[in-house]
């Protein structure tokens, strides 16, 4: 039997499962069902009250009529006695009896004339007519609401018909009284009075009878009307009851059909879902199970009906789990709180272990729990996924080793453990495969993956069980050696290195191999953070690479100057990036002084300067390029630096052209590094900057070194020719510093040949250097170039250069580098530019050579 199909709605519309609507909703539904009966009952009650009221009012008419009739008879009898005997007391009896019908008549006439406004006076008159107060109110109510109906109108009409006879009786009484006051009446007169009284007696008796008949007729009509009204109400009640019964039957059938459909849907749904749904009574005996529950328990509902659920659950031994599902079921039935998110292990009908979560819902009334629903949700697959995700979050999928995140976590735990003043007893190895890119480029990434897996297996075999091996990068590994003396760590590292260089894997027809560079770092006291340990380990691995690869380098921060230089360069890399982002670079300019008239004329009688970059530190100090240019060249930042210099130089030149008080610059030399020359987009960038700032290309001179030009010769030739076509000049910098190639001068048509400053600075003490300066000067002139001597530090060197015929001198003797006007927002820029103009002018006029440094130092840029 379908359990849920047996749950039928109660009379109030709730389901026997105990899930009821709020009380006010049930009351509202009940009211909607019985309101016609309530309305009909109210109508019936109203009719009954009105009927009783009308019957009581008619009874009041009857009571009044009897009082009226009695008073009338008493008045006639007393007046007859008075007319015969002349007894004064009889006349008093006459007046007293007549007052009753006369008061009733006057009260009626007041009501007829003034309506409800005369009820107070009329009530006093009716009271004189010996009517009770309650009856007076009923008379007012009946005549007020029904005076025009067939029930009351005939009564009022008969009442009004007696008015004339009463008035005649009153007049006759007054006449008799007046006559008797004069003297005794004659017998004839007395007989006449008695005859009139008999006539009035007959008239009033007839009217009294008519009024009594009318009153009986009204009573019969009222009785018939009330009878038919009640019969009609009863019939209406019966029809309404039949209609309501039919509607309730129809609604009940509809509810039953709906519940049957819902039950079928619920049964189908419960059978289709994967969760096991079990309903029990308050004692935990099974009442219903879906298909999933039958599969879970390995028995059908028929077999387990009214069997205890907790006893049927198959679970592991109690010593394997602290909180069993049987305990949870008993706790739920007893009303105890369940453990949140508890996962239980149970065995299904196939003896397979399954992890489930249990949900419990009590079903009951205000008296307590009647039934309970248990839902067991299988989370076995979810738990498997969670374990897999947890593994993937901490391991490398390619090699199966722990990843960098997990390695750092374990390293952090080691560093956090209590240790002696020398630090934790252990070491870390940082391993990098040598020339691994060659394997990827020649064999493809699949070959590289195979090599990484082979290296991982080899490393695992070469380590202790307690060591942690991790893949922390593409071809980088790290090993955490806990509780390992440093000498033993060195032996393990050498064994790994030796095993790696003998490792071979077959990839198709090729045999792949790769050596390993290992950086070994002892976990000493200064290394108190994961970041610091990794930084030092990376430096140690770099040291191994610098020593030719396939070596183990044990890092010693006290003596390793190369690593210190590497660290310094890395710090400068970050500073350079910050300077580019925050505009912390500034430009200086150093004058290049003409030493003869031809050079002066070639300069166009303007300033000839070379712009040089500086870095402004956060504390305001200015750093020379010798500190950061090597790091920028080593780590590929020079193209960005050169582009900044070009943009800022041209921007400054454009601003100086608009300043009338600043001496014009006839030639501005800008250095381009070797890596910048290799940039295919450099030419387009320079053209765009020249057009953007509106600079005359003829004042621009780009300096390139001989080494950079030879390294990037095709780009250099294309760049030089294209920019020279625009009017730009070129200078070959540091000529003579290395193995100079005269052929490079022929291939690159430069305008200036700059003699290396190291040769110029020592030519006073070294004759060979002087001879080299003379030779380079003659070579430049022979090729049609102007020569520039760098590092002209003293007036004596300047004079020697002048005597040799060198065209230009650059150095502290002719002018130290100064901030470039406008390039750095210097407050003294205009003043410097003005002094520069006057100093340059005095130099062109032929000031003595010894005075040149002083004039330049006072303001020349």
């Amino acid at each position: 039997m379908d359990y849920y199909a047996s749950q039928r709605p109660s009379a109030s519309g709730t389901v026997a499962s105990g899930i009821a609507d709020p009380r006010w909703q049930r009351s509202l539904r009940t009211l909607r069902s019985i309101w016609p009966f309530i309305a009909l009952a109210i109508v019936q009650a109203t009719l009954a009250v009105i009927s009783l009221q009308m019957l009581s009012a008619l009874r009041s008419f009857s009571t009044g009529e009897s009082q009226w009739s009695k008073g009338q008879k008493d008045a006639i009898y007393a007046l007859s006695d008075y007319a015969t005997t002349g007894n004064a007391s009889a006349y008093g009896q006459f007046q007293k009896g007549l007052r009753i019908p006369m008061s009733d008549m006057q009260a009626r006439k007041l009501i007829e004339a003034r309506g409800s406004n005369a009820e107070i006076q009329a009530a006093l008159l009716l009271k004189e007519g010996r009517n009770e107060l309650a009856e007076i109110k009923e008379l007012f109510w009946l005549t007020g609401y029904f005076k025009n109906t067939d029930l009351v109108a005939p009564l009022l009409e008969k009442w009004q018909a007696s008015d004339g006879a009463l008035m005649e009786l009153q007049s006759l009484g007054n006449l008799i009284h007046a006559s008797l006051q004069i003297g005794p009446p004659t017998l004839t007169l007395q007989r006449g009075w008695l005859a009139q009284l008999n006539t009035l007696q007959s008239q009033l008796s007839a009217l009294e009878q008519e009024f009594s008949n009318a009153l009986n007729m009204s009573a019969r009509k009222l009785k018939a009307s009330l009878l038919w009204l009640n019969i009609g109400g009863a019939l209406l009640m019966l029809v309404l009851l039949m209609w309501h019964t039919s509607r309730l039957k129809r609604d009940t059938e509809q509810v039953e059909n709906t519940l049957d459909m819902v039950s079928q849907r619920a049964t189908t749904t419960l059978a289709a879902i994967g969760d096991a749904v079990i309903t029990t009574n308050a004692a935990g005996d099974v009442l219903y199970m879906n298909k999933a529950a039958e599969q879970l328990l390995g028995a059908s509902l028929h077999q387990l009906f009214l069997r205890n659920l907790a006893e049927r659950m198959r679970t592991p031994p109690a010593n394997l789990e602290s909180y069993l599902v049987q305990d949870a079921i008993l706790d739920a039935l007893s009303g105890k709180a369940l453990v949140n998110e508890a996962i239980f292990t149970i065995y299904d009908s196939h003896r397979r272990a399954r992890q489930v979560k249990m949900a419990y819902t009590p079903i009951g009334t205000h008296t307590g729990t009647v039934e309970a629903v248990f839902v067991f949700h299988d989370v076995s697959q979810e738990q498997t996924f969670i374990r897999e995700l947890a593994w993937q979050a901490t391991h490398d999928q390619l090699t199966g080793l722990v990843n960098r995140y997990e390695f750092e976590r374990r390293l952090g735990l080691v560093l956090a453990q209590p240790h002696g003043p020398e630090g934790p007893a252990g070491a870390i190895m940082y391993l990098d495969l040598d020339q691994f890119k060659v394997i990827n480029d020649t064999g493809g990434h699949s070959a590289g993956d195979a090599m990484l897996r082979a290296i991982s297996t080899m490393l695992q075999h070469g380590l202790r069980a307690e060591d942690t091996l991790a893949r922390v990068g593409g071809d980088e590994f790290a090993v955490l050696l806990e509780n390992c003396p440093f000498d033993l760590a060195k032996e393990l590292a050498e064994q790994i290195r030796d095993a790696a260089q003998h490792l071979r894997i077959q990839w198709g027809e090729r045999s792949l191999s790769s050596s390993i560079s290992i950086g070994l770092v002892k976990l000493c006291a200064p290394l108190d953070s994961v970041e610091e340990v990794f930084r030092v380990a990376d430096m140690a691995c770099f040291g191994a690479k610098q020593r030719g690869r396939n070596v183990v380098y044990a890092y010693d921060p006290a003596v390793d100057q190369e690593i210190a230089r590497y660290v310094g360069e890395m710090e400068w890399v970050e500073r350079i990036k910050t300077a580019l982002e925050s505009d912390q670079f500034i430009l200086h300019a150093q004058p290049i002084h003409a030493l003869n008239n031809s050079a002066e004329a070639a300069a166009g009688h303007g300033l000839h300067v070379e712009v040089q970059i500086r870095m402004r530190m956060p504390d305001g100090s200015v750093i020379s390029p010798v500190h950061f240019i090597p790091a920028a060249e080593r780590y590929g930042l020079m193209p960005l630096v050169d582009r900044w210099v070009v943009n800022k130089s041209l921007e400054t030149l454009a601003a100086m052209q608009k300043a009338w008080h600043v001496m014009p610059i006839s030639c501005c030399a800008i250095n381009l590094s070797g890596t910048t020359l290799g940039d295919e987009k450099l030419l387009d960038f320079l053209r765009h900057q020249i057009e953007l700032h509106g600079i005359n290309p003829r004042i621009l001179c780009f300096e390139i070194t001989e080494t950079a030009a030879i390294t990037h010769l095709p780009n250099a030739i294309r760049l030089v020719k294209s920019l020279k076509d625009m009017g730009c000049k070129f200078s070959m910098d540091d000529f003579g510093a290395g193995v100079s190639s005269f052929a490079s001068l022929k291939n690159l048509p430069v305008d200036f040949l700059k003699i290396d400053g190291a040769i110029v600075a020592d030519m006073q003490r070294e004759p060979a250097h002087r001879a080299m300066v003379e030779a380079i000067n003659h070579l430049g002139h022979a090729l049609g170039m102007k020569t520039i001597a760098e590092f002209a530090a003293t007036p004596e060197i300047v004079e020697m250069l002048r005597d040799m015929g060198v065209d230009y001198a650059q150095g502290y003797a002719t002018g130290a580098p100064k901030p470039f006007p406008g390039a750095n927002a210097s407050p003294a820029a205009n003043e410097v530019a003005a002094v520069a103009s006057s100093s340059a002018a005095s130099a062109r006029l032929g000031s003595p050579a010894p005075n040149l440094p002083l004039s330049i130092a006072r303001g020349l840029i």
Side-chain angles (χ1 to χ4, degrees):
M1 182 183 70
D2 186 352
Y3 169 72
Y4 284 101
S6 65
Q7 304 300 302
R8 297 305 181 194
S10 63
S12 62
T14 60
V15 178
S17 61
I19 302 176
D21 293 332
R23 181 176 299 177
W24 67 270
Q25 292 185 357
R26 298 199 303 270
S27 301
L28 183 60
R29 282 200 302 269
T30 303
L31 182 61
R32 288 176 178 173
S33 300
I34 66 174
W35 73 265
F37 298 95
I38 295 175
L40 188 58
I42 293 173
V43 171
Q44 287 289 95
T46 304
L47 289 175
V49 171
I50 294 174
S51 300
L52 293 175
Q53 185 73 8
M54 293 182 70
L55 288 174
S56 178
L58 286 177
R59 186 180 62 80
S60 298
F61 264 104
S62 177
T63 303
E65 185 268 337
S66 64
Q67 293 293 336
W68 173 77
S69 176
K70 182 176 182 298
Q72 165 191 304
K73 291 178 179 179
D74 289 345
I76 293 176
Y77 177 77
L79 186 59
S80 298
D81 185 36
Y82 180 60
T84 305
T85 64
N87 188 1
S89 61
Y91 183 72
Q93 292 294 327
F94 163 75
Q95 290 181 324
K96 183 178 179 181
L98 185 61
R99 187 180 300 117
I100 294 174
M102 291 299 291
S103 296
D104 291 343
M105 180 185 69
Q106 292 173 2
R108 191 196 74 243
K109 288 185 177 181
L110 281 175
I111 293 297
E112 290 175 352
R114 296 169 55 189
S116 59
N117 294 329
E119 286 185 355
I120 297 176
Q121 296 89 337
L124 295 175
L125 292 173
L126 289 173
K127 195 171 183 181
E128 289 182 4
R130 297 181 180 179
N131 292 281
E132 298 293 334
L133 181 60
E135 295 175 346
I136 294 172
K137 292 181 179 179
E138 292 174 350
L139 289 172
F140 285 162
W141 175 80
L142 186 62
T143 55
Y145 289 101
F146 300 95
K147 64 182 179 180
N148 296 321
T149 64
D150 293 340
L151 295 177
V152 179
L155 296 178
L156 295 177
E157 181 181 351
K158 298 301 180 181
W159 190 359
Q160 291 171 356
S162 65
D163 291 350
L166 288 176
M167 293 299 294
E168 289 182 12
L169 180 60
Q170 184 180 32
S171 299
L172 180 60
N174 292 335
L175 177 62
I176 293 173
H177 179 65
S179 297
L180 291 177
Q181 292 297 321
I182 297 172
T186 64
L187 182 59
T188 303
L189 184 59
Q190 286 181 339
R191 290 177 179 175
W193 289 346
L194 293 176
Q196 290 182 9
L197 286 174
N198 289 330
T199 303
L200 290 175
Q201 174 70 27
S202 299
Q203 292 179 0
L204 290 174
S205 296
L207 291 174
E208 177 186 348
Q209 185 62 40
E210 290 178 0
F211 182 86
S212 179
N213 294 336
L215 183 60
N216 292 332
M217 182 62 70
S218 296
R220 287 193 294 271
K221 288 182 179 179
L222 178 60
K223 179 180 178 181
S225 299
L226 292 178
L227 176 61
W228 285 111
L229 281 175
N230 284 277
I231 292 174
L235 292 175
L236 182 60
M237 181 75 75
L238 181 60
V239 171
L240 183 62
L241 180 61
M242 294 176 62
W243 169 79
H244 186 65
T245 302
S246 175
R247 193 190 69 172
L248 285 178
K249 182 179 179 181
R250 185 175 63 254
D251 292 345
T252 301
E253 291 176 352
Q254 184 177 359
V255 170
E256 289 179 348
N257 293 334
T258 303
L259 286 177
D260 288 340
M261 185 179 298
V262 171
S263 176
Q264 292 176 2
R265 289 177 180 174
T267 303
T268 304
T269 303
L270 291 174
I273 64 176
D275 292 346
V277 181
I278 304 173
T279 302
T280 71
N281 56 22
D285 300 328
V286 175
L287 299 177
Y288 170 80
M289 297 191 308
N290 66 348
K291 294 296 183 183
E294 292 179 349
Q295 294 175 1
L296 181 68
L297 299 181
S300 65
L301 174 60
H302 179 72
Q303 294 171 325
L304 296 183
F305 188 72
L306 294 181
R307 300 290 182 90
N308 189 267
L309 174 62
E311 297 176 356
R312 298 295 303 180
M313 303 298 290
R314 294 186 297 272
T315 60
N319 59 347
L320 296 182
E321 291 196 17
S322 59
Y323 191 53
L324 298 177
V325 69
Q326 289 93 338
D327 300 331
I329 293 173
L330 296 176
D331 288 346
L333 292 173
S334 61
K336 295 181 181 179
L338 300 179
V339 178
N340 290 333
E341 299 297 323
I343 297 178
F344 307 98
T345 300
I346 62 177
Y347 293 105
D348 61 11
S349 57
H350 300 287
R351 306 301 299 175
R352 294 176 302 187
R354 296 169 65 176
Q355 284 76 42
V356 297
K357 286 184 178 180
M358 187 185 82
Y360 165 76
T361 302
I363 302 175
T365 63
H366 64 280
T367 59
T369 301
V370 176
E371 297 177 1
V373 177
F374 293 91
V375 179
F376 297 92
H377 175 59
D378 189 352
V379 295
S380 302
Q381 192 173 15
E382 297 176 12
Q383 293 299 305
T384 302
F385 287 157
I386 290 173
R387 288 192 293 268
E388 291 178 356
L389 289 175
W391 187 90
Q392 293 175 4
T394 57
H395 289 75
D396 174 55
Q397 292 186 353
L398 177 63
T399 62
L401 304 177
V402 299
N403 57 18
R404 187 183 186 101
Y405 168 79
E406 178 63 13
F407 186 84
E408 290 181 351
R409 188 188 68 82
R410 297 184 184 184
L411 176 59
L413 293 176
V414 173
L415 296 177
Q417 293 176 358
H419 48 73
E422 295 183 358
I428 182 174
M429 280 192 284
Y430 202 91
L431 306 91
D432 191 355
L433 273 64
D434 299 326
Q435 304 298 336
F436 181 71
K437 187 175 184 298
V438 176
I439 297 177
N440 275 334
D441 292 344
T442 58
H445 288 283
S446 56
D449 292 345
M451 175 59 71
L452 289 173
R453 285 192 290 267
I455 290 290
S456 301
T457 304
M458 181 271 297
L459 291 174
Q460 287 175 309
H461 291 161
L463 295 174
R464 304 175 303 167
E466 63 268 28
D467 298 332
T468 300
L469 172 63
R471 183 186 177 199
V472 296
D475 60 342
E476 299 173 350
F477 298 84
V479 180
L480 176 60
L481 305 168
E482 296 186 53
N483 300 318
C484 180
F486 201 55
D487 291 338
L488 177 58
K490 291 179 181 179
E491 294 179 8
L492 292 174
E494 284 293 342
Q495 293 173 7
I496 290 173
R497 183 201 61 78
D498 183 67
Q501 70 178 352
H502 293 94
L503 178 65
R504 300 288 186 276
I505 65 170
Q506 197 66 29
W507 188 256
E509 298 179 356
R510 298 179 54 196
S511 178
L512 303 179
S513 64
S514 177
S515 59
I516 294 181
S517 297
I518 303 177
L520 181 63
V521 177
K522 181 180 181 181
L523 298 179
C524 53
L527 305 178
D528 57 356
S529 67
V530 174
E531 293 78 9
E532 186 68 15
V533 171
F534 261 95
R535 186 179 72 87
V536 174
D538 185 59
M539 290 190 298
C541 188
F542 174 77
K545 292 281 189 182
Q546 291 293 97
R547 283 161 176 75
R549 298 183 175 87
N550 192 28
V551 297
V552 176
Y553 176 70
Y555 173 64
D556 184 356
V559 299
D560 199 329
Q561 298 298 323
E562 184 176 0
I563 298 298
R565 180 184 62 80
Y566 169 73
V567 174
E569 288 183 350
M570 293 304 296
E571 292 177 352
W572 277 115
V573 166
E574 294 301 321
R575 291 179 183 176
I576 293 169
K577 292 179 180 178
T578 302
L580 288 170
E581 294 172 357
S582 305
D583 199 22
Q584 295 177 359
F585 283 123
I586 58 176
L587 290 182
H588 279 54
Q590 186 174 25
I592 300 177
H593 185 66
L595 300 179
N596 52 57
N597 292 333
S598 62
E600 181 73 20
H605 304 289
L607 291 177
H608 187 178
V609 297
E610 176 189 358
V611 293
Q612 300 170 0
I613 191 171
R614 302 286 190 272
M615 181 187 292
R616 182 185 290 116
M617 302 300 289
D619 60 358
S621 60
V622 178
I623 302 300
S624 171
V626 297
H627 296 289
F628 59 83
I629 289 299
E633 290 177 339
R634 181 186 295 270
Y635 296 101
L637 296 177
M638 278 309 298
L640 296 176
V641 174
D642 286 346
R643 285 174 179 254
W644 185 92
V645 172
V646 170
N647 176 64
K648 185 62 68 173
S649 298
L650 269 57
E651 180 183 312
T652 303
L653 290 174
M656 293 179 66
Q657 287 178 355
K658 299 177 183 179
W660 61 271
H661 57 282
V662 177
M663 184 175 181
I665 293 179
S666 60
C667 185
C668 179
I670 303 174
N671 289 277
L672 297 177
S673 65
T675 51
T676 302
L677 285 179
D679 186 358
E680 297 289 342
K681 299 180 181 180
L682 176 63
L683 180 59
D684 294 335
F685 170 76
L686 294 175
R687 285 174 175 171
H688 173 71
Q689 290 295 317
I690 293 172
E691 294 177 2
L692 176 66
H693 297 289
I695 300 299
N696 183 2
R698 297 184 180 278
I699 69 174
L700 298 179
C701 179
F702 295 100
E703 292 191 4
I704 57 177
T705 64
E706 180 187 10
T707 303
I710 293 174
T711 304
H712 305 279
L713 189 59
N715 280 355
I717 294 174
R718 181 172 61 89
L719 180 70
V720 170
K721 289 183 178 180
S722 299
L723 292 179
K724 283 183 70 69
D725 291 342
M726 295 176 59
C728 298
K729 301 180 181 63
F730 276 86
S731 175
M732 182 168 288
D733 196 11
D734 296 336
F735 193 82
V739 181
S740 300
S741 173
F742 293 155
S744 62
L745 295 178
K746 295 175 63 178
N747 292 329
L748 290 172
V750 297
D751 301 280
F752 298 98
L753 187 64
K754 297 191 75 170
I755 306 171
D756 183 61
I759 305 174
V760 175
D762 291 339
M763 71 178 186
Q764 284 183 286
R765 298 187 304 273
E766 295 288 342
H769 285 190
R770 180 170 182 171
M772 291 176 64
V773 172
E774 290 179 343
I776 294 173
N777 182 53
H778 288 311
L779 175 62
H781 287 167
L783 295 175
M785 303 175 186
K786 297 292 183 180
T787 56
I788 302 174
E790 298 180 299
F791 287 17
T794 64
E796 290 76 16
I797 293 178
V798 173
E799 287 303 318
M800 292 176 65
L801 295 173
R802 192 193 303 274
D803 294 340
M804 290 180 186
V806 175
D807 300 304
Y808 299 93
Q810 180 180 358
Y812 278 86
T814 60
K818 296 291 181 181
F820 203 11
N824 316 300
S826 173
N830 294 337
E831 179 182 353
V832 171
V835 177
S837 300
S838 61
S839 300
S842 63
R844 288 196 304 272
L845 293 175
S847 299
N851 295 331
L852 281 175
L854 179 60
S855 63
I856 297 299
R858 287 176 178 174
L860 188 60
I861 51 178

